[in-house]
Amino acid sequence: MANHKSSVKRIRQEKKRALHNHYYAKTMRNAVRKLRAMTDKEEALKQYPKVQKMLDKLAKTNIIHKNKAANLKSSLAIYINKLG
């Protein structure tokens, strides 16, 4: 167990922050999964800006890496373009 008040507080903060980050990362993964499951191009085009915004926000706050966000946006755009 930690010996200092500040380290006890740091542990509390890290647990809270990790829980927060896991929630948003999981939400992002579900949104990407849902977009990839779409077969209607019009619907996918409507949903894409929302997912793109979510990815940008998570990359900005370092929940995911900026390159991961860029790779996901790119692959989703390719997927949407291939839809018939």
Side-chain angles (χ1 to χ4, degrees):
M1 185 62 195
N3 293 323
H4 297 282
K5 273 184 157 182
S6 60
S7 56
V8 172
K9 181 180 178 181
R10 174 67 54 210
I11 290 167
R12 267 197 331 262
Q13 287 175 330
E14 285 171 355
K15 282 183 186 175
K16 187 176 179 181
R17 199 169 292 131
L19 186 65
H20 176 268
N21 290 347
H22 285 299
Y23 170 77
Y24 282 103
K26 183 68 175 175
T27 305
M28 177 268 304
R29 285 196 301 272
N30 286 338
V32 169
R33 196 175 295 127
K34 193 180 287 186
L35 185 62
R36 282 203 176 118
M38 289 183 182
T39 54
D40 183 29
K41 189 170 186 170
E42 296 298 321
E43 195 176 329
L45 282 172
K46 285 182 190 173
Q47 195 64 28
Y48 181 68
K50 295 174 187 172
V51 174
Q52 188 177 13
K53 183 177 179 182
M54 184 187 301
L55 290 169
D56 288 336
K57 279 186 177 181
L58 294 178
K60 184 179 178 183
T61 54
N62 291 322
I63 293 174
I64 61 172
H65 196 273
K66 63 178 183 153
N67 290 352
K68 180 182 177 77
N71 288 335
L72 283 171
K73 289 191 298 186
S74 174
S75 65
L76 288 172
I78 291 168
Y79 172 75
I80 291 170
N81 284 332
K82 285 184 180 178
L83 286 176

